[in-house]
């Protein structure tokens, strides 16, 4: 369900009286998005680069079992995504615009002979997702400078030598209140707990049980509408990885690569998508945090590829 700027500002006005339950932070409104950047000719492009539509006929129907060569390709793209995310962490500070994060990620991808996967994926206009405070995910980088007390998720995906690697972290900007710090800590703990149960023979759905239980132990809710996914020469494919209790069939096998990317909220799980068709915000303006890794199932356990 979409909503206009008018209804959002109206809602924010209402909320100002109640938001103290969730701590001290500023509610984010979408800003101005700069023109699209041009990817040089020599960069290898994914199939949606020109059309904006990923080629669905090209997807595996079942979770794919990758051979050792394919796994090496995944390792390289995931390492690159993680290294760019780590460099982003070092430049995060009060006053930095999310558009500047986008330029930084774009340039880092090009310098490393890779394509920033979000760019024109289902018409997403930028190279990275930047989701601040009440933006749950898919925030579009714009001219809003980071403010003291913000929490920001930066989600970096690269397409390198034919493989996507996908990871995200939530960073603290300046002095974040205790409620915000706890939300971020709990979300990272959920991802780590979930990764720890992964090995051949475990149901994909066990990830959701683990994350929901861990989140509840910390006193937070999981946002169910966003799921992890299989990944490879495609950005999103089977299996679906639910982050709450679910009935999804299928077990992990060696050679599978997928993401786990829980979003936790301080408030209610309800989200809405803004008129830009991407930005997902919480209806109650509560803050959310998200962490994501791409993992590979091995003979005995699991490898985190995006380290
Ligand atoms: N990186 C996101 C994920 O974890 C997907 C973003 S889609 C985009 O799955 F188009 F916004 F990039
Ligand atoms: Co991602
Ligand atoms: Co992902």
């Amino acid at each position: 369900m979409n909503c206009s700027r008018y209804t959002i500002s109206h809602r924010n006005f209402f909320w100002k009286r109640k938001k103290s339950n969730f701590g001290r932070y500023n509610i984010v409104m979408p800003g101005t998005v700069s023109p699209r950047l041009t990817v040089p000719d020599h960069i290898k492009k994914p199939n949606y680069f020109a059309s904006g539509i990923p080629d669905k006929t090209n997807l595996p129907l079942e979770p794919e079992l990758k051979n050792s060569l394919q796994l090496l390709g995944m390792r390289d793209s995931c390492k690159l995504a993680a290294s760019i995310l780590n460099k982003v962490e070092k430049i995060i500070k009060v006053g930095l615009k999310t558009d500047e994060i986008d330029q930084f990620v774009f340039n880092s991808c090009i310098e490393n002979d890779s394509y920033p996967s979000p760019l024109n994926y289902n018409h997403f206009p930028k190279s990275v997702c930047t989701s601040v405070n009440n933006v749950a995910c898919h925030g579009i980088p714009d001219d809003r400078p980071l403010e003291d007390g913000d929490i920001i998720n930066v989600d970096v995906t690269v397409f390198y030598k034919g493989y996507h690697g996908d990871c995200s972290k939530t960073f603290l900007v300046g002095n974040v209140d205790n409620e915000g710090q706890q939300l971020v800590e709990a979300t990272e703990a959920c991802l780590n707990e979930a990764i720890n149960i992964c090995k051949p023979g475990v149901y994909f759905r066990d990830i959701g049980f683990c994350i929901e239980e861990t989140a509840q132990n910390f006193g937070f809710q999981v946002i169910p509408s966003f799921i992890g996914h299989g990944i490879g020469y495609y950005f999103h494919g089977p299996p679906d990885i639910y982050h709450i209790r679910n009935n999804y069939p299928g077990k992990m096998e060696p050679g599978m690569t997928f993401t786990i990317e829980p979003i936790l909220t301080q408030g209610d799980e309800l989200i809405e998508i803004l008129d830009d068709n991407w930005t997902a915000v919480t209806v109650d303006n509560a803050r959310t945090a998200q962490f994501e890794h791409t993992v590979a199932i091995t003979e005995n356990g699991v490898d985190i590829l995006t380290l």
Side-chain angles (χ1 to χ4, degrees), residues 186 214-221 265-266:
T214 307
Q216 282 171 354
N217 287 341
F218 278 96
F220 296 109
Q221 294 244 77
T265 177
Q266 309 178 279

Side-chain angles (χ1 to χ4, degrees), residues 155 157 166-167 227-229 231 235-236 259-261 292 294:
D155 192 334
T157 314
D166 189 4
C167 53
I227 61 179
H229 49 91
I231 183 167
F235 194 169
H236 295 110
T259 74
I260 308 176
E261 47 184 300
E292 174 175 27
T294 301

Side-chain angles (χ1 to χ4, degrees), residues 186 190 210-222 264:
C190 283
C210 172
I211 289 173
E212 189 169 4
E213 188 181 330
T214 307
Q216 282 171 354
N217 287 341
F218 278 96
F220 296 109
Q221 294 244 77
V222 179
L264 267 57

Side-chain angles (χ1 to χ4, degrees), residues 148-161:
D148 188 57
D150 280 349
I151 60 173
I152 177 174
N153 176 275
V154 179
D155 192 334
V156 174
T157 314
V158 303
F159 183 66
Y160 180 59
K161 295 191 180 166

Side-chain angles (χ1 to χ4, degrees), residues 22 44 62 72 80 92 119 124 139 144 147 165 202 224 230 246 260 263 270 282 294 302:
F22 297 153
K44 185 181 162 91
E62 296 286 320
L72 284 177
L80 178 57
I92 293 282
L119 191 60
F124 190 80
R144 180 187 182 277
E147 294 170 9
V202 172
N246 69 94
I260 308 176
I263 304 177
L270 219 59
T282 55
T294 301
V302 62

Side-chain angles (χ1 to χ4, degrees), residues 162-238:
Y163 295 96
H164 294 272
D166 189 4
C167 53
S168 84
K169 287 184 184 178
T170 300
F171 303 122
L172 308 180
V173 183
N175 298 301
V176 173
D177 63 0
N178 278 331
E179 290 93 334
Q181 289 183 36
Q182 278 164 25
L183 174 67
V184 172
E185 254 173 54
T187 309
E188 189 165 25
C190 283
L191 173 58
N192 290 332
E193 294 285 324
I195 292 171
N196 279 336
I197 67 163
C198 292
K199 61 178 183 187
V202 172
Y203 284 99
F204 299 120
R205 61 172 166 265
D206 291 348
I207 289 171
F209 284 79
C210 172
I211 289 173
E212 189 169 4
E213 188 181 330
T214 307
Q216 282 171 354
N217 287 341
F218 278 96
F220 296 109
Q221 294 244 77
V222 179
I223 298 199
S225 9
F226 297 98
I227 61 179
H229 49 91
I231 183 167
Y233 61 85
Y234 42 90
F235 194 169
H236 295 110

